[in-house]
Amino acid sequence: MNFEKMISEEEINNKILELSSQINKYYNDEELCVICVLKGAAIFTCDLIKKLKMPVILDYLVASSYEDKTYSSGIVKISKDIDININGKNVLVIDDIIDTGYTLDKIVEYLKEKAPKSIKTCTLFDKSERRKIKNIEVDFKGIKIPNEFIFGYGLDYCEKYRNLPFISKLIK
Ligand code: IMP
Ligand code: MG
């Protein structure tokens, strides 16, 4: 496998600071339910919520899409639901990356049925060139990346390399 470093730890940390201050400003002191989409968003969520100033309730959801190694098929299944009650609450869904948009779209539609007060989204990376869901707009959006397969900082390549503190890209 060939890969090269693409985004440094420093660049990631700077973006997290920027996103956290946008989120702090938007919600002020209002309580926030953060829903982390496992597994990819685990590391990003941990680093981000440490910078949030409002009372945060954290929960996890697992969404799996039938996919090959690097591409999503569009069929998304919620394979582990949240445990908390989000009825009447402010909800922020956090994912690692938005690519086609199928995953986040499915999660938002699913969580809306639980009647939260508000629902917003945040992703660390945005591969907008490959978007299939045209009307999806991430509310707190991180680093724009070209159409490359990336891994590290929570994102995997065949379930490996989530532990890298920086982002690498796959060279085929
Ligand atoms: P979407 O449904 O196509 O928007 O893809 C979202 C999910 O696909 C993310 O939550 C990731 O788990 C995975 N994904 C998309 N692009 C990449 C990538 O470049 N590297 C690692 N995982 C990715
Ligand atoms: Mg994911």
Side-chain angles (χ1 to χ4, degrees):
M1 183 183 95
N2 294 314
F3 65 92
E4 74 183 30
K5 199 166 163 175
M6 188 182 178
I7 302 167
S8 69
E9 247 182 298
E10 195 191 1
E11 199 180 331
I12 292 170
N13 290 338
N14 289 341
K15 188 50 82 175
I16 289 174
L17 265 182
E18 208 181 285
L19 287 168
S20 63
S21 71
Q22 285 171 21
I23 295 167
N24 281 325
K25 211 164 150 190
Y26 183 80
Y27 291 102
N28 238 313
D29 292 331
E30 274 192 67
E31 188 181 282
L32 184 61
C33 294
V34 167
I35 311 292
C36 167
V37 182
L38 291 177
K39 303 171 194 172
I43 296 177
F44 170 46
T45 302
C46 291
D47 286 345
L48 180 79
I49 65 170
K50 285 185 275 182
K51 309 259 178 310
L52 298 183
K53 302 206 166 90
M54 72 291 282
V56 166
I57 297 167
L58 176 63
D59 205 350
Y60 300 91
L61 177 151
V62 180
S64 38
S65 74
Y66 296 90
E67 55 195 340
D68 67 14
K69 270 184 268 181
T70 54
Y71 291 104
S72 156
S73 64
I75 308 155
V76 180
K77 211 178 69 188
I78 310 286
S79 51
K80 190 227 161 269
D81 201 353
I82 52 172
D83 299 318
I84 57 168
N85 181 1
I86 58 167
N87 181 249
K89 309 269 191 186
N90 291 313
V91 169
L92 180 64
V93 180
I94 301 191
D95 206 354
D96 48 3
I97 184 168
I98 180 163
D99 182 14
T100 60
Y102 289 131
T103 305
L104 213 49
D105 186 57
K106 167 81 187 197
I107 292 170
V108 168
E109 289 312 308
Y110 175 75
L111 293 177
K112 269 185 184 168
E113 286 171 23
K114 297 176 187 277
K117 178 181 171 192
S118 71
I119 185 157
K120 300 268 174 202
T121 53
C122 172
T123 69
L124 182 56
F125 301 106
D126 175 17
K127 216 191 277 182
S128 58
E129 256 178 68
R130 286 193 5 107
R131 201 80 82 245
K132 290 277 178 8
I133 306 280
K134 299 295 176 201
N135 59 355
I136 193 166
E137 200 45 64
V138 177
D139 301 287
F140 304 98
K141 209 160 36 183
I143 302 167
K144 217 174 157 158
I145 58 159
N147 187 5
E148 313 260 17
F149 188 82
I150 63 167
F151 56 91
Y153 196 75
L155 292 90
D156 71 304
Y157 174 60
C158 298
E159 284 300 328
K160 288 179 286 207
Y161 311 112
R162 295 189 196 272
N163 55 309
L164 296 177
F166 50 82
I167 290 289
S168 286
K169 76 171 176 185
L170 191 61
I171 305 165
K172 288 194 173 151

